[in-house]
Amino acid sequence: METQKCLHRRVLPCVLFLFWMIQVGTLQAQQVDILLKGGHVIDPKNKIDSRMDVAIVENKIVQVAPDIPITNAKKVIDVKGLYVTPGLIDMHVHVFMGNDLDAYIANGPTSVAPDGFTFRAGVTTVVDAGSSGWRNFRQLKEQTIDKAQTRVLALLNIVGTGMVGRFEEQDVNDMNPVMTAHMIKQLFPDIIVGIKAAHYWGDFTQVDRAVEAGKLADVPVMVDFGEHDPPNSIEALFMKHLRPGDIFTHTYSYGPTKRETVVDENGKVKPFIAEARKRGILFDVGHGGGAFSWRQAVPAMQQGFTPDVISTDLHIQSMNGGMKDLANVLSKFINMGMSLQDAIARATWAPANVINKKELGNLSVGTEADVAVFNVRKGDFGFVDVRGTKLKGTQKLEAELTIRAGKIVWDLNGVSAPAWDAK
Amino acid sequence: MSHSMNVFTAKTPRRKGTRGCYIKLLNESLRLCALAVKPFFPFPLHKTFFPTTKLTEILLMSLFFYLLTTFTHAQEIDLLLKNGHVIDPANNINARLDVAIAEGKIVKVATGIATDKAKKVVDVTGLYVCPGFIDIHTHVFVGSKPETFADGSLSLSPDDFTFRAGVTTVVDAGTSGWRNFPVFKDQVIDRSKTRILAFLNIAGAGMSGKPTQEDINDMDPAKASEAIQKYPDIIVGVKIGHYEGNLWTPFENAVAAADRSNVPLLVECHLPQYSLEDQLNRMRSGDIITHSFEKVSERMSVVDEQGNVRPFVKQAQKRGILFDVGHGGAGFWFSEAMPALQQGLTPNSFGTDLHRFSMNAGMKDMLNVMSKYLSMGMTKEDIIVRATWAPAKSIKRTDLGQLGEGAVADVAVLRLRSGDFGFVDAGGNKIEGKQKFEAELTIRAGKIVWDLNGISAVKFVK
């Protein structure tokens, strides 16, 4: 009895001490790897728009709060005066770069390698917009998706061979909804987030096939509706052929002979656009080398017709033109009067919802730490559309720091680096 | 014919040139000329007698053609860069001047070139106008072979990175050898907007990975110089690198190939068994060593532990060996570059060593590397020469890197930004600076290929 009591007296403190040790150990393991200190966080999903610190452990966000102590942090980065946002999602790019020199975008020279364009613009996720179809998606995966540091998702083209060339894209016999849906549902449900219909010269057949595949696979369809001569009615497209949640891209394109515009010749947004919106049709920018005109975008914005998603349509014909990168395209909208918060939302939480990837485009605790830090430059800037006309502006987004899965993948001015002569 | 049409249509604002218009204008000009010469002929010209009419006609025609050529000459400008500060080291120009471009060539660099003769005028007031930059160390033999430089995914597409940094010419640093150079040419060189030149790797298959890239039996100076002579407009030198053995045969073969074709040798990296001193001693005057300021285990650095440039390095510099930056992912350290610069070991060129692992790291692009040197204390003139004329001379391409009349119109227009900037080296260490170059406009063979803020664009009118 006596000895037992004694044992209790001795063991209990030991056990408690052990517990304490374990807890300290866990805390140390929970030590913050990167602490972004003093930045202005814009996280539309969580309705955060204020000065907050962001703590990252390994590849995850662990805390977003004011004044997180720096004592537990291995690396503290002072981001005062900068905006901290979820890593951007560029919902419309072409990254199926490859060696088939006769090909257009699928495994061809018109696509680009993503990593050279993404991180320097704060982008951590891109969605390849139908460069591949079910016949060559595996090659896109092997060549680009599995190799890139950027997270690459994809819309699968309804045409089996994707964007090999305009001619092949006309083959109705190669628009197979069942095979397209099978590839998405059975093989790659995590990577393929939707279906693309584009570059078709005929009637509504291609769109209808894409929607059929979309129904089978339960994913959205994105339509580039630009090469019908004469143009097909976009009202019919929005009200009859597409489903709520489907996406119209190249929204502000001005190519009146082959593509019906959203703004009429008198500068008025067409009346059925509001109804289409009500119906749930989503509008994507898809700037590209030929699909963004001030004469469409400016009146549309003035009349309240803003895009749901802001994206680039990155490829070799847009990369050095008026488009440049997603930060530049977002800056265009900011200079047309959109708030920084609204612009960020349209490249983070909005596209994450559209492609049904709600784990992306936000800074909720537990999500993968894809983060962008921006500086809003003030000065005299110019922004060019695809017709070579310019809109002047006073603000421009510049990506200071980009973090992908907890790793710093871009640091413009070395905000995360020590001084070279530091002892 | 289209030229003379333009000449006249440019003078008549009312309508576009057609054949009818041309003839009408011709007649009109002749009539005006006739009026002009009338006072010298006190008798009625056409009516008096036949020979005089003929004579008058000849006279009028010659006058007409004289005027025509004068107009044509004055009006040939496609693009006029107005009021910029021109820095053209090759021609000793460092002043506020206009630059006129026609048919892809520089036609005039002078003050006050008239704007009314130019089809397009771009106001570049407050900006620096320089020859398009030459990046003599890149890896652009891009292809789909995984984890490989030659025809692989570790190389990059040049156009993705060049124009946005004012670069118009890149030199590929031996990613290909004589065996796969034709593939490189077909796949990349012939299809890029950037001008691509190349150092040919002494290894037959270039940077094909181990073990093929180290096969001494495939380092054939005869085959290499044969390829150089076949493509003299593209291949500008020979490269040695990526050989981990201790035989000197690869190096000797590379020198032999360079000797045969009278081109420079580029000594790259990953030659761990060769001492730095031996490498420099075996190099000839005009040969280039790159990764000059690296601090890695496999090569002795140019600066010793006390921070002094090693005597044999100074000796090599005196002997005419050229030092290229070759920044890359591991090739540039402030701890080496800073004392080197202070002690006069300045780089001859700002090769970036652009590839997959340098593009998003401390390197970024050539303008960023140039801005580093600005922050390290080099003057902008000294920087521009090392981005243009110095590398052009080093690869014996004096047709490039300058804005002389008749030169190809490769032009970089820069803004010098002021603010608080930081620049990072390969070791992740930072230097701070107050200035940074930004490429506003890049012109390649007379065509605008980059325009950051639309300074060449027309204003959008609602």
Side-chain angles (χ1 to χ4, degrees), chain A residues 120 319 377 390 418 420, chain B residues 164 359 430 438 458 460:
Chain A
R120 57 186 62 205
M319 66 183 185
R377 279 175 73 181
K390 168 174 59 176
W420 76 278
Chain B
R164 57 188 61 206
M359 66 181 182
K430 174 170 61 171
E438 191 167 62
V458 291
F460 164 67

Side-chain angles (χ1 to χ4, degrees), chain B residues 235-251:
Chain B
I235 303 179
V236 296
V238 177
K239 185 195 96 160
I240 172 78
H242 305 94
Y243 168 70
E244 296 186 357
N246 56 8
L247 298 173
W248 280 94
T249 320
F251 204 99

Side-chain angles (χ1 to χ4, degrees), chain A residues 155-170:
Chain A
L155 305 174
L156 199 64
N157 205 309
I158 187 63
V159 182
T161 54
M163 296 180 176
V164 161
R166 281 293 191 282
F167 184 74
E168 290 79 0
E169 288 177 74
Q170 309 312 316

Side-chain angles (χ1 to χ4, degrees), chain B residues 324-387:
Chain B
D324 175 52
V325 170
H327 190 302
F332 181 86
W333 298 67
F334 288 125
S335 60
E336 315 305 301
M338 201 68 131
L341 181 65
Q342 282 158 359
Q343 291 162 51
L345 184 70
T346 51
N348 184 66
S349 49
F350 296 114
T352 58
D353 189 14
L354 175 73
H355 56 69
R356 202 177 159 99
F357 303 119
S358 65
M359 66 181 182
N360 287 330
M363 191 285 284
K364 295 182 175 65
D365 58 38
M366 187 156 138
L367 263 191
N368 192 55
V369 177
M370 291 159 68
S371 297
K372 282 185 185 182
Y373 270 88
L374 202 57
S375 299
M376 288 163 69
M378 195 182 267
T379 67
K380 58 180 179 299
E381 288 79 6
D382 282 350
I383 290 169
I384 299 302
V385 67
R386 286 165 171 78

Side-chain angles (χ1 to χ4, degrees), chain A residues 183-385:
Chain A
M183 180 157 259
I184 301 172
K185 272 202 118 160
Q186 309 300 326
L187 299 181
F188 304 105
D190 295 335
I191 311 174
I192 306 178
V193 295
I195 293 160
K196 180 85 183 280
H199 307 155
Y200 187 55
W201 303 334
D203 56 11
F204 282 89
T205 307
Q206 187 197 42
V207 168
D208 294 341
R209 297 262 172 114
V211 169
E212 197 185 329
K215 283 178 188 161
L216 290 171
D218 194 21
V219 293
V221 168
M222 178 192 274
V223 180
D224 164 357
F225 211 53
E227 297 180 19
H228 310 281
D229 196 7
N232 285 343
S233 157
I234 54 172
E235 183 171 10
L237 177 72
F238 299 154
M239 304 313 287
K240 289 185 186 143
H241 296 271
L242 294 181
R243 304 161 297 165
D246 286 338
I247 309 145
F248 180 70
T249 189
H250 303 316
T251 297
Y252 305 109
S253 176
Y254 181 74
T257 60
K258 289 189 179 175
R259 185 192 293 270
E260 191 187 342
T261 57
V262 293
V263 173
D264 69 18
E265 288 300 318
N266 301 316
K268 291 272 177 288
V269 175
K270 293 179 181 172
F272 57 83
I273 298 291
E275 285 169 57
R277 279 225 127 142
K278 232 180 263 165
R279 211 181 147 237
I281 303 299
L282 301 166
F283 293 89
D284 171 48
V285 172
H287 188 302
F292 181 86
S293 292
W294 293 123
R295 61 181 294 168
Q296 289 283 307
V298 169
M301 287 289 289
Q302 282 167 349
Q303 292 160 54
F305 175 43
T306 56
D308 294 289
V309 174
I310 300 176
S311 69
T312 62
D313 187 13
L314 172 71
H315 54 75
I316 65 161
Q317 282 144 9
S318 66
M319 66 183 185
N320 287 330
M323 191 287 284
K324 296 182 175 69
D325 58 37
L326 187 57
N328 192 56
V329 179
L330 289 177
S331 300
K332 287 184 176 187
F333 281 89
I334 292 168
N335 285 292
M336 277 191 286
M338 187 180 271
S339 71
L340 174 64
Q341 289 73 6
D342 283 350
I344 295 296
R346 281 159 173 78
T348 54
W349 187 232
N353 274 285
V354 172
I355 59 173
N356 204 18
K357 280 276 181 189
K358 296 193 178 135
E359 69 274 26
L360 303 178
N362 68 79
L363 297 175
S364 299
V365 169
T367 57
E368 192 151 78
D370 289 356
V371 186
V373 179
F374 290 102
N375 151 37
V376 179
R377 279 175 73 181
K378 310 268 186 221
D380 293 319
F381 305 108
F383 300 93
V384 183
D385 69 2

Side-chain angles (χ1 to χ4, degrees), chain B residues 91-123:
Chain B
N91 294 298
N92 285 318
I93 294 175
N94 185 9
R96 191 164 159 163
L97 293 172
D98 301 339
V99 175
I101 295 167
E103 290 178 352
K105 300 255 191 311
I106 304 289
V107 290
K108 205 172 180 188
V109 179
T111 44
I113 300 177
T115 54
D116 56 342
K117 316 286 185 201
K119 286 184 202 155
K120 187 172 194 72
V121 180
V122 181
D123 180 8

